[in-house]
Amino acid sequence: MASLYHHSSFPLSPPQQLTAPEPTRAPPPSCRISTLPSSSHHGSALPRPGASPSVACHCKAPPRDHDADLLRALQSNGNGTLHGEPVPPQVLDSRSDGPSGDGRGKRPRICACDCAKRIMELPVEERVKVLDLLQRDDAALTVSDYNDILSALARAGDHASAVALFRAMPVAPDAHSFDTAVQFLCRQGAPDEAKLALDEMVARGFRPSVAAFSAVVGCLCKRGRVTKAMEVLDAMRALGCEPTIRTYNSLVGGLCYVGRLEEALDLLNNLKDSPRTPDIYTFTIVLDGFCKVGRAEEATAIFHDAIGMGLSPTIFTYNALLNGHCKEGEPLRAFALLMEMYGDERGCPPDRISFGIVLTALLRAGETAAAWQTYKRMERAGFEADGRALDTLARGLCRRCATDVSALGDAREVFAKLVASGHEPVSYTYCLMAQALARGGEVDAAVALLEEMVRRGYALRKRAYTDVVRALCDRGRARDALRVLVLVMIVRDFVPGRNAFDALLGELGRQGRWTDAMAVYAAAVKRGVVVSWKHLSREEEPVRLGVLQ
């Protein structure tokens, strides 16, 4: 009796559901895909795993959104593997070699009881029947029993073990076995083996289900093999299997992936006049394809066409269009669309990606006012901007203080949020913040910020400490201005510019502190800074602060 607690050597993965294949019936002989001869043994005649490299595939099961995952797959790295997702290990060979090396001398490397550990993770009501089967000897199991075990492995998400078990089945597989194996192989990233399974299935007199055909079409399209996918689609129609809209969505996505946008648009228009009415994912896939190549105007027309058909755009639809506008250098159009999403309570509210796309584009274009509004809406929606965006926004608001002092409060808020987030502002941001504080009359805060920069070892910009010195001199605080210059010259070993010396000399002259003024003048000359004697001969009006740069 096979052990119920035999430990499997196969990798574990999260549970995932698999739809049971549709009932099958034998097609007429003239409709077979190929004329492959059936195997001489009872097992499958599929090629060994080494014949085809295995990469991740995303032919999704019904509990997950197939079309949403298809949109994600369009942003893959070209071989069907999404960025950041590990490539599953290659499935094991189905049979061990005997003494003669012909694979007929020993028991298969995987048997039904090897799958017990993975199936034990299923809910009780789902695993009782299968665990009862695993207590029997493999020789006593029927093809129906093996199908139940394969389906249980599918629900457990262990596709590698399911493929290996299918290849090692000691009984002849039936239509259900082949149908399940095709979907397993697609999820393992082996479309060529899945196509061979379809061929063998038809050669044995079985009819593949629509789900099996769609899985192969989707798997091929995600790898850019659109021509091969069209061949499978033609064979599907020849067998009397009508493609579903998900099958067409896979084909549309493949056409966009390889840059055949006009063909994808033609297919979309043909679907509008057919019984297979396109859904919002069909429009989104084509729209996204046009946006990625900088054709946002045509994408906008497709967007309005979808709305005209009574379809509700998803967040994927909006984000694709937002990205298209920003890529074409029209961030304000993207901002207007974002505000439309935000204000329409019955529609699709923006998510973190939506805000991030628009905020980054507005900051890059220097649209600080719109970027500030986007940030506040983003904050009210419960999303956090990343540190880089906060850093750029803080600099933009500091520059805005040159013409609008009221923006200082906004700049301080963003700067405080930036520091609190743990993202260290760059020295340029510190300098602009110090200049904005000096311009806004918060001179003590500006001096404290300069001291913080010195303590942290940041480089000081001449314009920053010069504006602080001028602000102090305008308020008659020559001693504090001198302390700032000493901080710059002695602690940081910088040579202040002429404007800083001129501002301090002018204030010392107005106060009649000629001895101190001569000492400052001597320090400037010693460091090679040329200043004018006029500051020591007459009183001058306060020097006006320059525009932030």
Side-chain angles (χ1 to χ4, degrees):
M1 178 180 295
S3 173
L4 182 62
Y5 301 103
H6 183 88
H7 289 281
S8 172
S9 60
F10 300 109
L12 303 182
S13 56
Q16 187 173 357
Q17 298 290 333
L18 180 70
T19 304
E22 299 178 359
T24 61
R25 62 176 184 273
S30 59
C31 295
R32 296 182 179 177
I33 300 179
S34 69
T35 57
L36 291 177
S38 60
S39 175
S40 59
H41 54 78
H42 292 292
S44 170
L46 297 179
R48 294 292 183 263
S52 177
S54 180
V55 293
C57 180
H58 299 275
C59 304
K60 299 298 179 184
R64 302 175 63 176
D65 195 325
H66 170 278
D67 296 307
D69 290 326
L70 176 62
L71 294 176
R72 294 176 58 242
L74 294 179
Q75 301 175 6
S76 67
N77 59 8
N79 64 355
T81 303
L82 294 179
H83 293 300
E85 295 189 8
V87 178
Q90 196 171 28
V91 295
L92 299 179
D93 199 351
S94 61
R95 300 182 182 277
S96 301
D97 289 337
S100 61
D102 59 359
R104 292 192 298 270
K106 291 184 179 180
R107 181 186 181 86
R109 292 182 184 174
I110 178 172
C111 57
C113 63
D114 293 326
C115 310
K117 181 179 178 181
R118 196 66 187 93
I119 294 173
M120 284 291 291
E121 299 180 7
L122 292 173
V124 175
E125 60 274 12
E126 295 185 29
R127 73 184 185 216
V128 170
K129 179 181 178 180
V130 177
L131 291 179
D132 179 63
L133 294 175
L134 295 180
Q135 298 182 62
R136 309 176 192 174
D137 291 332
D138 288 347
L141 296 178
T142 66
V143 66
S144 178
D145 296 333
Y146 276 101
N147 289 342
D148 290 337
I149 298 172
L150 289 174
S151 298
L153 286 171
R155 289 192 294 273
D158 194 353
H159 308 302
S161 298
V163 171
L165 179 60
F166 172 77
R167 289 177 172 140
M169 283 174 58
V171 296
D174 61 5
H176 189 287
S177 310
F178 274 107
D179 215 77
T180 306
V182 168
Q183 298 185 54
F184 282 150
L185 288 166
C186 288
R187 296 183 187 188
Q188 285 296 108
D192 291 319
E193 291 189 44
K195 176 61 169 59
L196 288 175
L198 281 178
D199 292 342
E200 183 177 349
M201 186 177 182
V202 175
R204 294 191 180 197
F206 302 124
R207 177 181 176 181
S209 67
V210 175
F213 274 117
S214 298
V216 177
V217 171
C219 195
L220 288 168
C221 287
K222 289 171 187 175
R223 284 153 182 77
R225 300 171 62 182
V226 181
T227 303
K228 191 70 173 178
M230 288 182 173
E231 294 176 3
V232 176
L233 191 69
D234 292 338
M236 180 180 183
R237 293 197 190 99
L239 286 170
C241 293
E242 186 61 30
T244 64
I245 191 59
R246 289 185 175 182
T247 313
Y248 284 113
N249 285 352
S250 297
L251 189 57
V252 169
L255 289 169
C256 292
Y257 182 73
V258 297
R260 295 160 64 175
L261 298 177
E262 304 302 334
E263 294 181 51
L265 184 59
D266 290 341
L267 180 56
L268 172 63
N269 292 329
N270 291 335
L271 287 173
K272 289 191 293 185
D273 300 328
S274 69
R276 300 292 179 185
T277 306
D279 57 15
I280 189 58
Y281 290 104
T282 321
F283 283 94
T284 301
I285 294 167
V286 181
L287 178 150
D288 182 58
F290 277 92
C291 286
K292 285 180 176 177
V293 296
R295 298 168 66 177
E297 285 298 332
E298 294 167 89
T300 303
I302 295 171
F303 176 80
H304 291 299
D305 193 13
I307 295 177
M309 291 186 63
L311 299 175
S312 299
T314 67
I315 192 63
F316 292 104
T317 314
Y318 278 111
N319 287 350
L321 193 55
L322 289 172
N323 197 43
H325 287 315
C326 294
K327 182 172 289 188
E328 283 199 356
E330 297 181 341
L332 292 180
R333 289 190 63 181
F335 174 72
L337 180 59
L338 183 72
M339 294 300 102
E340 180 183 321
M341 295 171 63
Y342 189 86
D344 188 3
E345 297 180 356
R346 298 172 299 174
C348 180
D351 62 0
R352 186 177 184 275
I353 297 176
S354 312
F355 283 111
I357 291 171
V358 179
L359 180 60
T360 302
L362 289 171
L363 291 172
R364 188 181 296 117
E367 299 288 348
T368 307
W372 171 248
Q373 294 183 50
T374 302
Y375 168 72
K376 296 302 291 182
R377 298 287 179 91
M378 184 178 186
E379 195 176 46
R380 285 196 289 269
F383 302 115
E384 295 288 340
D386 61 75
R388 184 175 180 181
L390 288 174
D391 206 337
T392 308
L393 180 59
R395 292 198 296 271
L397 291 171
C398 288
R399 293 190 191 96
R400 190 179 174 190
C401 292
T403 55
D404 182 10
V405 180
S406 63
L408 178 60
D410 300 337
R412 293 196 66 172
E413 176 185 340
V414 175
F415 187 82
K417 189 67 173 289
L418 173 62
V419 174
S421 68
H423 182 88
E424 192 69 24
V426 298
S427 62
Y428 186 39
T429 306
Y430 267 110
C431 290
L432 288 178
M433 192 71 237
Q435 287 180 259
L437 289 170
R439 176 175 296 282
E442 300 185 25
V443 186
D444 291 327
V447 173
L449 197 59
L450 287 181
E451 292 174 347
E452 176 72 10
M453 292 181 66
V454 171
R455 185 181 68 82
R456 290 176 175 269
Y458 281 110
L460 298 175
R461 298 178 71 243
K462 287 185 178 181
R463 192 61 181 270
Y465 59 75
T466 298
D467 280 359
V468 175
V469 168
R470 283 176 172 174
L472 290 168
C473 291
D474 288 346
R475 288 159 178 78
R477 299 171 58 179
R479 182 180 296 275
D480 292 331
L482 181 59
R483 184 165 62 89
V484 171
L485 282 186
V486 170
L487 181 73
V488 173
M489 289 187 295
I490 306 302
V491 179
R492 293 300 296 165
D493 196 23
F494 288 167
V495 178
R498 175 179 177 177
N499 292 333
F501 280 111
D502 284 348
L504 182 56
L505 288 172
E507 180 58 27
L508 290 173
R510 282 190 293 273
Q511 295 182 8
R513 299 168 56 180
W514 306 111
T515 302
D516 293 336
M518 289 299 298
V520 171
Y521 179 81
V525 173
K526 182 179 179 180
R527 287 165 174 77
V529 181
V530 179
V531 293
S532 175
W533 274 96
K534 66 180 181 179
H535 299 291
L536 304 178
S537 59
R538 62 185 178 87
E539 185 177 351
E540 291 187 333
E541 294 295 328
V543 181
R544 186 177 180 181
L545 298 183
V547 177
L548 299 184
Q549 296 179 352

